Amino acid sequence: MPEITLRQLRYFAVLSNALQYRSAARQLGISQPSLSLQIAALEKALDTRLIERRRNGLILTPAGRDTAAQAERILQDVERLSQTAGASGDALEGTLRLGSSPTIGPYLLPRVLRRLHQSFPDLKLVIRDAPPRELTEDLLAGRHDLILTQLPVPRDDIRHTFLFREPLSLAVARDHPLAGRKRVKTADLDGENLLSLNPSYTLSRQVSQLCAASGANLREDFEGTSLDALRQMVSLGMGATLLPALYVESEVKRGEGDVAVVPMQPLLYRQAGLAWRRSSGSPPAFLKLADFIRSVIEQEFANQVIL
């Protein structure tokens, strides 16, 4: 009888949720032909058909539904085993795969990593940036152990721990009438054009909410792919936007200062945290890493964020 592998079960678990080869292959970081070969090998090992191809996607056969449920349980058991197999469950050592939001990680992690390497030289962090929506998909697919992202993460199968609260300020062109203000009230934005990141970022939702509350216009014809892109569009007079405090400190105050940044009244914030799969439990190493990051924030960023 052909051998059933954990790789086959993991691939089938992702495919059974996505119900599309292209989407599942992207989440797993492999090609569609490779995924098809693994699924075919699993069907051969089980001597049964698991999926049916339809014009608008895939559906699971009755055997496929049972196999998907069993695969999830097996993968969760294996993950729990790997978390407890070490001699010390709370040791920061070995390799952790960390997904990071590009609106948070580049302005926080360099100082964290420097101190982390000094304190825990046996820990290796493999870091990959991606938009929050993609981070969540990859976390659930097993490509990350945990993610640094904006909170909340509205999913029952993901746990998180709070790290910090970060002020958001209004960025406008240097010659904009609001540029000289000490603070900008929500009502001052009535009729203004606001720019935003694409909807895969949680920050985009906050800009949309500000537009609804203030009477500002959300420019849907321009969506930034990064905070740098937003800042550059603002500097050209294409509209205003919200920028997080760590980005402002790193790229605006220490950079060219091509935009004016004004605090909002009332103050606006976003929250950031570490998140992981609920099936992982509450690994002590994850909580220890979160505590370490908070300690670095307290020492390095006390004037920019709130713990």
Side-chain angles (χ1 to χ4, degrees), residues 92 111-120 163 286-299:
L92 284 179
R111 300 193 200 184
V112 170
L113 294 177
R114 184 177 66 247
R115 290 175 177 262
L116 195 63
H117 180 69
Q118 294 171 350
S119 301
F120 303 98
L163 290 178
F286 292 3
L287 301 179
K288 188 171 183 177
L289 177 61
D291 286 339
F292 184 87
I293 293 175
R294 291 189 198 98
S295 69
V296 174
I297 292 171
E298 187 174 13
Q299 297 173 51

Side-chain angles (χ1 to χ4, degrees), residues 38-236:
Q38 292 296 328
I39 300 303
L42 179 60
E43 289 182 321
K44 183 177 181 181
L46 295 173
D47 192 25
T48 188
R49 193 174 184 182
L50 301 176
I51 58 174
E52 296 179 21
R53 290 182 181 269
R54 295 294 173 91
R55 184 173 298 176
N56 59 346
L58 307 173
I59 63 172
L60 299 179
T61 65
R65 291 194 298 270
D66 291 341
T67 301
Q70 292 183 62
E72 289 286 358
R73 289 194 292 270
I74 292 169
L75 292 170
Q76 289 175 13
D77 288 342
V78 170
E79 183 164 5
R80 280 191 286 269
L81 177 63
S82 67
Q83 294 292 343
T84 59
S88 177
D90 65 347
L92 284 179
E93 57 188 21
T95 300
L96 284 178
R97 296 169 298 175
L98 175 67
S100 172
S101 170
T103 69
I104 302 174
Y107 317 107
L108 170 69
L109 289 179
R111 300 193 200 184
V112 170
L113 294 177
R114 184 177 66 247
R115 290 175 177 262
L116 195 63
H117 180 69
Q118 294 171 350
S119 301
F120 303 98
D122 294 328
L123 174 67
K124 179 183 178 182
L125 276 183
V126 178
I127 301 173
R128 178 176 174 267
D129 283 352
R133 189 178 298 171
E134 185 177 329
L135 287 179
T136 301
E137 292 175 357
D138 288 344
L139 175 66
L140 293 174
R143 296 187 66 191
H144 303 310
D145 297 313
L146 65 170
I147 58 176
L148 172 64
T149 189
Q150 185 169 340
L151 302 178
V153 182
R155 292 192 59 114
D156 293 336
D157 46 3
I158 290 179
R159 287 182 173 176
H160 72 266
T161 184
F162 170 84
L163 290 178
F164 61 90
R165 193 162 57 131
E166 184 178 17
L168 300 172
S169 297
L170 185 75
V172 295
R174 282 288 180 186
D175 58 354
H176 192 282
L178 296 176
R181 298 281 191 92
K182 291 185 177 180
R183 293 194 179 275
V184 172
K185 297 180 180 179
T186 302
D188 295 331
L189 298 179
D190 186 20
E192 294 288 341
N193 291 320
L194 292 191
L195 300 164
S196 175
L197 294 169
N198 68 64
S200 64
Y201 290 88
T202 309
L203 188 58
S204 172
R205 185 163 63 247
Q206 290 181 274
V207 174
S208 297
Q209 291 169 347
L210 180 60
C211 287
S214 66
N217 306 310
L218 179 62
R219 289 202 61 171
E220 297 181 351
D221 52 340
F222 291 98
E223 287 183 351
T225 56
S226 68
L227 293 178
D228 282 341
L230 278 184
R231 191 191 82 236
Q232 290 164 10
M233 287 190 286
V234 169
S235 71
L236 295 174

